[in-house]
Amino acid sequence: MKNHFEWKIVETGIEITRYLGDASSVIIPEKIDEQKVVSLAAYAFERCRGLYELFMPDGLLSIGTHAFYNCRELRKIVLYNTVNSIGDGAFKNCGNLKEVFIYRVIPKTKCLKGILSEINQELHVTLDYGEDKWNGISVAKLVFPKYEFDYEEVTAARIINQVTYGSGVHFRECMFGGDVDYKKYDADFFVARANDSDETAAFLAMYRAFYPYKLEEEAQQMYLAYIKENLDYIFNLAAEREDMEILEQLSKLEVFDRESLERILKAASSLGKLEIIHFLLTYKKRKFGFSDKSFEL
């Protein structure tokens, strides 16, 4: 593995200076020659066109300036909360980055704000708080919507103003003191509903309902009401992706009543989704018992 990297010894361990391979999935080793990998140098992964996902090691402390510059196919990064420094432009032109997983966020996330400041597209973030549980829950899953900006001229005053579109700026402003202000995050849901796509709003609501870390009762009811109101749309999202986890989580939330379940079963039948039909029929039997109505595939 170490042959895929150029590296040098620094004061605290090993710094990766250049990735030499062309793999789509890269695991950076935790140690090289028995010394911990502690940093990624500037431009270390520059223009790695085929890089799709990256797993960074526990103990990594810093990500250098433009470390992933122009990694245009990068979709997923996994890292630990040991990272406390992210250089300017580290993820510049990583326009397809969609998923971020951060492990051992104890007690706060040191690196999420730095990543969000680099990325203006929609980002799905999983935060694992480890032993720092809230009501027995240690994982939060969040959507940070996209935002775009433009410039407009106020002709009379000869002033150029920057104008932003989308709710992404609002949600990025939920980072306070190194961690997510969950109360503000949940309060901004109405901004996402007004400014972003139905898909973005649906995943935002589902993630908070499925992984209710620091979710207050009022916000929980808001998300559940949204899910129930948009159950058909959410089912279609799950069916298109053949995402059984969404359906399993929805069943745990008890959002299906008999009428909505029958409606969704018919939709699953019309789509020919046999695994989903089986799951829904099993759930129907468990929740409502046998019905005098027969269901035909």
Side-chain angles (χ1 to χ4, degrees):
M1 173 65 75
K2 70 178 184 180
N3 294 330
H4 294 163
F5 301 95
E6 290 180 351
W7 50 274
K8 66 180 182 181
I9 298 174
V10 294
E11 183 177 351
T12 53
I14 296 292
E15 180 175 80
I16 301 291
T17 57
R18 180 70 64 178
Y19 174 62
L20 303 174
D22 58 1
S24 61
S25 179
V26 174
I27 301 174
I28 298 174
E30 189 171 329
K31 291 184 177 181
I32 294 178
D33 285 355
E34 301 305 316
Q35 295 194 64
K36 289 185 72 69
V37 174
V38 295
S39 60
L40 304 180
Y43 297 96
F45 285 80
E46 177 194 10
R47 300 180 187 277
C48 289
R49 302 291 191 184
L51 182 62
Y52 186 90
E53 60 179 2
L54 180 77
F55 299 84
M56 303 186 209
D58 189 5
L60 187 73
L61 301 176
S62 64
I63 298 172
T65 302
H66 291 89
F68 300 98
Y69 177 68
N70 270 346
C71 292
R72 297 181 183 274
E73 295 305 315
L74 182 62
R75 307 293 177 91
K76 171 183 173 182
I77 60 173
V78 178
L79 68 161
Y80 287 81
N81 197 44
T82 52
V83 175
N84 55 40
S85 175
I86 297 177
D88 290 341
F91 296 98
K92 187 174 182 179
N93 293 341
C94 296
N96 283 308
L97 182 58
K98 178 82 171 186
E99 294 181 271
V100 174
F101 296 78
I102 304 176
Y103 289 97
R104 290 221 307 269
V105 184
I106 304 173
K108 300 177 180 179
T109 170
K110 301 175 182 177
C111 54
L112 179 56
K113 187 173 183 178
I115 295 171
L116 289 171
S117 69
E118 296 279 321
I119 300 297
N120 71 314
Q121 69 263 23
E122 182 174 305
L123 206 61
H124 292 217
V125 176
T126 301
L127 299 172
D128 184 347
Y129 286 84
E131 297 302 318
D132 185 21
K133 296 182 179 181
W134 184 86
N135 286 349
I137 302 160
S138 61
V139 174
K141 198 163 184 178
L142 308 171
V143 176
F144 288 88
K146 69 179 180 179
Y147 70 92
E148 297 176 355
F149 58 88
D150 199 357
Y151 298 94
E152 62 179 21
E153 181 180 2
V154 181
T155 305
R158 297 183 179 179
I159 296 174
I160 303 296
N161 290 331
Q162 180 175 298
V163 182
T164 58
Y165 303 94
S167 69
V169 171
H170 290 268
F171 281 89
R172 282 158 177 79
E173 289 173 349
C174 293
M175 299 299 302
F176 289 110
D179 202 7
V180 180
D181 182 337
Y182 285 95
K183 188 171 184 177
K184 182 180 186 312
Y185 181 95
D186 295 326
D188 282 342
F189 181 57
F190 79 94
V191 185
R193 291 191 66 177
N195 289 276
D196 297 302
S197 69
D198 292 339
E199 181 176 324
T200 295
F203 274 103
L204 198 158
M206 284 190 291
Y207 286 165
R208 288 299 282 145
F210 296 167
Y211 304 91
Y213 184 81
K214 292 189 177 180
L215 181 62
E216 297 183 357
E217 177 66 23
E218 184 178 353
Q220 184 179 44
Q221 293 306 315
M222 172 187 68
Y223 289 127
L224 287 175
Y226 173 86
I227 289 170
K228 290 176 181 178
E229 290 168 8
N230 295 275
L231 203 51
D232 290 357
Y233 176 76
I234 289 171
F235 166 75
N236 286 330
L237 283 179
E240 287 172 8
R241 294 165 170 74
E242 298 188 349
D243 191 334
M244 296 302 299
E245 182 186 1
I246 291 178
L247 295 177
E248 290 166 2
Q249 293 286 356
L250 290 174
S251 69
K252 291 177 183 178
L253 292 176
E254 299 288 346
V255 296
F256 297 112
D257 57 22
R258 188 182 292 272
E259 180 182 351
S260 63
L261 191 57
E262 292 290 350
R263 189 171 65 248
I264 285 172
L265 268 166
K266 289 180 181 179
S269 178
S270 68
L271 294 170
K273 301 291 185 179
L274 298 183
E275 184 181 7
I276 292 175
I277 293 169
H278 175 73
F279 173 83
L280 293 173
L281 286 173
T282 302
Y283 174 78
K284 177 183 176 182
K285 178 180 177 182
R286 184 173 70 249
K287 183 171 182 178
F288 299 111
F290 289 102
S291 170
D292 57 0
K293 293 184 179 179
S294 61
F295 183 83
E296 297 181 0
L297 299 179

